[in-house]
Amino acid sequence: MNNFEFMAPTKLIFGKDTIKRVKDEIPKDKKILMTYGGGSIRKNGVYKQVMEALSEHNVVEFGGIEPNPKYETLMKAVEIVKNENIDFLLAVGGGSTLDGTKFIAAASKFEGDPWDILIKGAEIKDAIPLADIITLPATGSEMNCGAVISRLSTNEKFPFMSPLVYPKFSIIDPTTTYSLPEKQTVNGIVDTYVHTMEQYATCEVNTPLQDEWMLGLIKTLMVEGKKVLKNPNDYEARANVFWCATCGLNYWMSLGCVQDWSTHMIGHELTALYGIDHGESLAVVLPRVWKNRKCDKMRKLAKMAVEIFGANEFLPKNILADITIKKTKKFFESIGRRTKLADYGIDRADAAKKISERFRQRGTVLGEKCNIGPDEVYEILMHC
Ligand code: NZQ
Ligand code: ZN
C-alpha cells in the first residue's frame, strides 16, 4: 500500500426532509449568493424549500449555470460576488452548479487571470466559503475538493482541485432526485461506476480492504441502480444510489491505491469538442481504455470478473479480464447508455485526430503508469 494522507472536512446532512437544516448551518450575518442551474430546482420544489428555510438570511440569487459549467457564465457571478460583498456561496442543484460555484469561490479571491487556475494549475490561496444542496447523484463533488470547468470560446474543459473549495456542508435529500430525467439518472450511475473503476482497476499495490470496498460499491450500485430505473420513487434505492455516488469520489475508498483517470481526461475532451454528456463520454471510453491497457490492469479486472460477474476463478486471467470488459459494456447498455462514438453521431477518426493532437500539444500523458500518450489515445478513440 502506498503512503497517504486523508481529510474529510465536509459535514454531510443526509436523508428525507433535510433541506430545512440549511437555516442553521449558515450564520445569519453572512451575505449569501445562492447559485443554481437551468431551473430544475424551481420545478421540483427545491427552490421553494431553500427560500423558505433562508427567509431570515440575506440571499442574492444567480441562476443559469449550465451543465458542464461555462467559465464565461461563472465570471458573471464573480462580478456579483465582488460588487455585492458576498461572503458565502450556496450551490443548489447538480454537480455542474456545485463545480461552477467552487470556481466562483476561488476566482472571486484570485489575483490575476482566473483561467490560469484551470490552464496552468495556478495556486489558489483563498476562496469564499461554500456549501451545497446537491440534487444529482454522480460527481461526488459534494464531498470532494475538485471541479471541472469548460470554456465556450475555446471548446476546452479542465479540472482543478484545492482544499479551499471543500464544501463546508452538503445536504443530500434523496427525494430531490425523484424528478431527474431518466437520462441523468443513468449518467449518474455510469459516472459513479467509472469513478470507482478509475481508482480500482489499476496495478496491484496490495490494498485488499480498499478493493473490497470498491467492489462492494459496484455491486450495490448495479443492484440499486436497476431498482431506481424501474421505480424512480423508490426512496431506499434512491438513497443507496446517492450514497454510492458520494463515496465514489470522496477519496476514501482508494487511499494508498494507484489511480488512473485516463477515461475521464479523454471523456472531457469528447464533451468539450462534441457536447456529449459526461456520463455518455465515459461509457464509450472506459471499455476501450481497458482493452488497450489490459496487461497493466489484468489482476484487478480478473478479480472483478469473479467477484462481481460470477466467473470461474480458474479461468486464465486474460479471459477473466475480457469478461469484465464485456460485462461492464453490457451493464451500461442494459441501463440504456450507448457505448460507441457513432451512437452519438461522432466520427471516430475525427475525434482520434483532434484529441490526440491536443494531448500532443499539451504534452499530456495519462494512466496509472503514465503510458497512455497521444498515440495510445489515437488508438483508443479509433476503436470507440
Ligand atoms: O440545470 P438544471 O435545470 O438544474 O438541470 C440539470 C441539468 O440539466 C438537471 N438536474 C439536476 N438535478 C436535477 C435535475 N433535473 C431534475 N431533477 C433534479 N433533481 O440535470 C442536468 C445535468 O446536471 P449536471 O449538474 O450537469 O450533472 P452532473 O451532476 O452529472 O454534473 C456533471 C458535471 O460534473 C463534472 C462533469 O465533468 C460535468 O461538468 N464532474 C465533476 C467532478 C467533481 N467535481 O469531482 C467529477 C466528475 O468526474 C465530473 O467530471
Ligand atoms: Zn466523472
Side-chain angles (χ1 to χ4, degrees):
M1 192 187 321
N2 293 335
N3 292 1
F4 64 81
E5 291 181 22
F6 182 61
M7 168 176 89
T10 301
K11 174 175 179 179
L12 287 188
I13 301 171
F14 188 103
K16 274 181 195 163
D17 209 19
T18 47
I19 291 178
K20 59 185 178 214
R21 292 282 307 279
V22 67
K23 170 174 171 242
D24 307 316
E25 296 298 325
I26 307 179
K28 288 255 167 54
D29 60 349
K30 295 286 178 197
K31 188 167 184 187
I32 304 168
L33 183 69
M34 181 189 132
T35 56
Y36 57 95
S40 69
I41 65 163
R42 288 185 185 270
K43 289 189 204 130
N44 62 12
V46 170
Y47 175 87
K48 189 164 172 266
Q49 291 182 62
V50 177
M51 287 323 240
E52 274 172 16
L54 293 178
S55 60
E56 287 169 23
H57 284 75
N58 189 355
V59 184
V60 177
E61 290 179 35
F62 183 82
I65 298 180
E66 316 84 344
N68 308 303
K70 303 294 180 289
Y71 175 78
E72 289 86 347
T73 305
L74 304 172
M75 289 308 291
K76 290 182 192 153
V78 169
E79 279 301 299
I80 296 174
V81 168
K82 289 181 178 169
N83 293 340
E84 298 271 346
N85 293 321
I86 299 291
D87 56 4
F88 199 94
L89 301 173
L90 178 69
V92 185
S96 292
T97 294
L98 176 50
D99 279 12
T101 305
K102 289 177 176 178
F103 183 75
I104 297 166
S108 300
K109 295 277 187 177
F110 191 76
E111 285 172 19
D113 179 359
W115 184 245
D116 286 350
I117 294 172
L118 299 155
I119 189 89
K120 294 185 184 158
E123 190 192 353
I124 295 165
K125 296 188 178 139
D126 198 3
I128 295 178
L130 68 107
D132 62 274
I133 295 166
I134 184 96
T135 64
L136 201 170
T139 60
S141 190
E142 64 274 17
M143 206 179 160
N144 71 39
C145 66
V148 191
I149 307 301
S150 300
R151 186 157 79 167
L152 264 179
S153 60
T154 49
N155 286 336
E156 289 174 299
K157 181 171 180 180
F158 294 112
F160 80 94
M161 292 176 91
S162 164
L164 293 170
V165 300
Y166 270 109
K168 298 290 169 215
F169 64 87
S170 292
I171 295 178
I172 304 173
D173 178 343
T175 65
T176 63
T177 66
Y178 292 167
S179 59
L180 277 171
E182 185 173 301
K183 182 188 188 204
Q184 297 303 338
T185 299
V186 171
N187 279 343
I189 294 169
V190 173
D191 200 14
T192 302
Y193 192 106
V194 178
H195 290 159
T196 310
M197 288 297 110
E198 298 259 37
Q199 299 166 88
Y200 166 81
T202 61
C203 46
E204 176 80 54
V205 288
N206 195 13
T207 52
L209 177 58
Q210 293 89 321
D211 293 352
E212 290 303 324
W213 280 337
M214 291 193 268
L215 291 175
L217 190 153
I218 290 294
K219 234 183 250 175
T220 310
L221 179 72
M222 290 172 82
V223 171
E224 301 295 314
K226 288 236 162 134
K227 283 188 199 164
V228 157
L229 291 169
K230 201 162 164 212
N231 178 7
N233 288 4
D234 178 341
Y235 177 80
E236 293 301 326
R238 286 286 191 187
N240 286 319
V241 166
F242 220 136
W243 187 226
C244 284
T246 304
C247 294
L249 197 48
N250 65 2
Y251 314 138
W252 167 254
M253 286 187 309
S254 59
L255 299 174
C257 300
V258 179
Q259 301 184 31
D260 180 350
W261 299 107
S262 56
T263 295
H264 268 71
M265 297 314 285
I266 299 170
H268 288 337
E269 297 302 328
L270 286 171
T271 299
L273 287 167
Y274 303 99
I276 62 172
D277 289 353
H278 179 59
E280 293 172 333
S281 74
L282 303 176
V284 169
V285 178
L286 180 77
R288 278 296 154 189
V289 165
W290 280 357
K291 276 261 179 218
N292 189 279
R293 292 289 97 205
K294 197 167 76 176
C295 48
D296 297 338
K297 301 174 183 298
M298 186 93 73
R299 287 179 64 182
K300 292 288 194 80
L301 292 177
K303 182 178 161 73
M304 185 163 164
V306 176
E307 295 209 8
I308 301 290
F309 300 114
N312 180 342
E313 62 180 308
F314 298 109
L315 286 171
K317 289 215 166 14
N318 183 29
I319 291 177
L320 286 171
D322 278 336
I323 290 173
T324 293
I325 298 171
K326 209 165 137 197
K327 294 273 186 182
T328 291
K329 229 172 137 186
K330 270 218 154 122
F331 172 66
F332 293 158
E333 284 160 2
S334 77
I335 58 172
R337 178 55 63 247
R338 289 164 299 168
T339 55
K340 290 192 201 110
L341 281 176
D343 295 331
Y344 301 95
I346 299 172
D347 174 31
R348 62 199 156 121
D350 186 64
K353 188 162 164 272
K354 284 188 180 144
I355 295 173
S356 61
E357 197 43 47
R358 275 189 162 186
F359 286 148
R360 197 179 307 282
Q361 275 171 14
R362 292 183 203 142
T364 306
V365 282
L366 305 170
E368 68 268 26
K369 291 195 165 169
C370 294
N371 56 8
I372 306 181
D375 293 341
E376 288 73 24
V377 170
Y378 183 89
E379 197 57 32
I380 287 165
L381 285 165
M382 280 305 281
H383 285 95
C384 281

